[in-house]
Amino acid sequence: MKNKIKKSAINLFYKKGYFATSMSTIAKATGIRKSSIYHHYSTKEEILLDIFRTTMNDLQDALRTRLDAAAGARERMQAAIYCHIIFHIERQKEAIIADSELRGLTAKNYKEIIQMRDDYEKKIQRVLEEGVAEGVFVDLDIKVISYAILSMCTNVCTWFKKSGRLSKEDVAGICSVFILKGLASS
Amino acid sequence: MKNKIKKSAINLFYKKGYFATSMSTIAKATGIRKSSIYHHYSTKEEILLDIFRTTMNDLQDALRTRLDAAAGARERMQAAIYCHIIFHIERQKEAIIADSELRGLTAKNYKEIIQMRDDYEKKIQRVLEEGVAEGVFVDLDIKVISYAILSMCTNVCTWFKKSGRLSKEDVAGICSVFILKGLASS
DNA sequence: GTCTATAGATGGATAGAC
DNA sequence: GTCTATCCATCTATAGAC
């Protein structure tokens, strides 16, 4: 049941946003009364936090697995781009929530999630540093470029349409070629 | 006074988000009672719409001016990147609102703003097409690459810090070099 | 573990005096 | 053009029965 509530919340937060979604709407979508939700979650924010934790953890795990399986900065960057984009398409709803509902978290929870996001960014920045050290990437501003890459790959979840012209692998391929060309030292 | 209300709303929508901001909070920040707001705006949504219209119009105007002053696809793309990034830093608060509060608009207003955004995107896509036709840009997926470029340039407003290491021109320069390198045919 | 009922606060918006 | 006062809906959350 806890999972049914979470799924309803994901759909509603995705469609209407966190603050525009009420506990009674979540309850209705789940098929129970709103007071019953409080048996599983003590506050509305806890539902949001649960979604954040799951999403961020799964994203971290996916990246770790893909990075470990690749050798050399160029291949590792390509693996990271594919992984990030495909995750943000497959988990489109949660990705949009994780990307736009940070303001729904109070200080303590906010810090926890920001920490996870920072760790993730640092992994990408390390791959960029490796590439510069290996001489396969041109010398660049690691911070700005890492934000640029993550922004364009994250934002895919806002415009990608499953019924559209391109598959998720197509999009990952197009972005990957563009980014790696921009990074290349030669 | 209408402008004072708008400025308070911009600060609050930026800090807390549209749905988490109440009319009474806007009134308090403006130094009037909430009923007085309704003499200037008939609904809360109208305040948001006013912010959207102003921001989008100013952005459109800025791009038009900069594009008209540049010749050749490469220079025109560079002008667009600088223009877009510097606008999103100088008007950081409004840019974040315009980028994240679309769900606060009801159907009719939503369509109006989406139309403006689409027009803007098409201008960027036209520059990409020019570049491919001129042979200065590699043959690429215009739609995906235009979204990629706009995503990374728009998102600058979420991480840029005025007290930070880099000026807005620095950031525009770094992104511009990266993007133009990724686009170049040679 | 879900229910009915309700507390207690706050939301957007309006009426009418000045 | 701003004020006081208020309407009515809805919000998050809790109490206590079953």
Side-chain angles (χ1 to χ4, degrees):
Chain A
M1 178 53 67
K2 192 169 179 176
N3 233 284
K4 268 183 78 177
I5 295 169
K6 193 172 164 183
K7 273 186 187 160
S8 303
I10 289 173
N11 281 319
L12 288 162
F13 293 169
Y14 162 70
K15 233 190 300 182
K16 298 167 164 289
Y18 174 71
F19 285 105
T21 301
S22 69
M23 291 297 265
S24 62
T25 315
I26 297 171
K28 239 167 251 162
T30 316
I32 53 174
R33 305 293 162 181
K34 67 174 169 175
S35 60
S36 304
I37 295 180
Y38 290 92
H39 180 75
H40 304 279
Y41 291 102
S42 65
T43 63
K44 186 182 166 190
E45 186 184 344
E46 264 210 5
I47 307 179
L48 181 62
L49 182 59
D50 189 12
I51 295 170
F52 261 106
R53 279 186 178 145
T54 309
T55 310
M56 299 296 278
N57 266 321
D58 291 352
L59 180 61
Q60 301 258 32
D61 288 351
L63 182 67
R64 195 177 307 119
T65 306
R66 293 294 213 101
L67 277 186
D68 286 353
R74 207 184 166 283
E75 266 194 33
R76 277 158 67 77
M77 180 55 71
Q78 188 172 40
I81 295 165
Y82 267 78
C83 174
H84 191 93
I85 288 179
I86 286 170
F87 184 94
H88 278 73
I89 289 175
E90 286 178 347
R91 305 276 290 270
Q92 193 169 30
K93 292 176 187 176
E94 291 155 276
I96 284 182
I97 295 167
D99 199 47
S100 63
E101 299 294 2
L102 265 169
R103 276 185 300 211
L105 299 176
T106 46
K108 186 169 163 289
N109 294 329
Y110 180 84
K111 273 182 197 159
E112 178 191 328
I113 301 301
I114 286 291
Q115 181 66 56
M116 295 179 79
R117 202 193 57 181
D118 287 352
D119 289 348
Y120 189 88
E121 285 173 5
K122 275 189 190 116
K123 281 192 188 124
I124 302 295
Q125 287 162 4
R126 214 159 300 139
V127 178
L128 285 172
E129 284 161 2
E130 287 167 22
V132 175
E134 288 177 20
V136 296
F137 293 163
V138 72
D139 195 23
L140 36 73
D141 192 290
I142 303 281
K143 286 239 171 186
V144 173
I145 297 298
S146 69
Y147 296 151
I149 293 171
L150 284 172
S151 294
M152 89 176 93
C153 295
T154 297
N155 243 33
V156 163
C157 66
T158 65
W159 57 261
F160 184 84
K161 288 195 173 52
K162 309 214 179 204
S163 58
R165 170 174 60 94
L166 301 166
S167 72
K168 57 196 174 188
E169 290 82 9
D170 291 337
V171 175
I174 292 164
C175 290
S176 170
V177 166
F178 177 57
I179 293 168
L180 289 171
K181 188 152 169 289
L183 293 177
S185 57
S186 53
Chain B
M1 177 55 64
K2 191 169 180 174
N3 235 284
K4 268 183 77 177
I5 295 169
K6 192 171 165 184
K7 273 185 188 162
S8 303
I10 289 173
N11 282 319
L12 288 162
F13 292 169
Y14 161 71
K15 234 191 299 182
K16 299 167 164 289
Y18 174 71
F19 285 105
T21 301
S22 70
M23 291 297 265
S24 61
T25 314
I26 297 171
K28 240 166 251 163
T30 316
I32 55 174
R33 306 291 162 184
K34 71 171 170 176
S35 60
S36 305
I37 294 179
Y38 290 91
H39 180 76
H40 304 279
Y41 291 101
S42 66
T43 61
K44 185 182 167 190
E45 185 183 347
E46 264 210 5
I47 306 178
L48 181 63
L49 181 60
D50 189 11
I51 295 170
F52 262 106
R53 279 185 178 144
T54 310
T55 309
M56 300 295 279
N57 267 322
D58 292 351
L59 180 62
Q60 302 257 32
D61 288 349
L63 181 68
R64 196 178 305 116
T65 307
R66 294 292 215 99
L67 277 186
D68 286 352
R74 209 185 164 281
E75 265 193 33
R76 279 158 65 78
M77 180 54 71
Q78 187 171 42
I81 295 166
Y82 266 79
C83 174
H84 191 92
I85 287 179
I86 285 168
F87 184 93
H88 277 73
I89 289 175
E90 286 177 348
R91 305 276 289 270
Q92 194 169 30
K93 291 176 188 178
E94 291 155 277
I96 284 181
I97 294 166
D99 198 48
S100 63
E101 299 294 3
L102 266 168
R103 276 186 298 211
L105 299 175
T106 46
K108 187 168 162 289
N109 295 329
Y110 180 85
K111 272 182 198 158
E112 178 191 328
I113 301 300
I114 286 291
Q115 181 65 54
M116 296 179 79
R117 202 192 55 180
D118 287 351
D119 289 347
Y120 189 88
E121 285 173 3
K122 276 192 189 112
K123 281 191 188 126
I124 302 295
Q125 288 162 3
R126 214 160 299 138
V127 178
L128 285 172
E129 284 161 2
E130 287 167 22
V132 175
E134 288 177 19
V136 295
F137 293 162
V138 72
D139 194 24
L140 36 73
D141 192 289
I142 303 279
K143 285 240 170 183
V144 173
I145 297 298
S146 70
Y147 296 151
I149 293 171
L150 284 172
S151 295
M152 89 176 94
C153 295
T154 297
N155 243 32
V156 164
C157 66
T158 64
W159 56 261
F160 184 85
K161 290 196 170 50
K162 309 216 178 201
S163 59
R165 172 173 60 94
L166 301 167
S167 72
K168 57 197 174 191
E169 290 82 8
D170 291 337
V171 175
I174 292 165
C175 290
S176 170
V177 167
F178 176 57
I179 294 167
L180 289 172
K181 187 152 169 290
L183 293 177
S185 58
S186 54

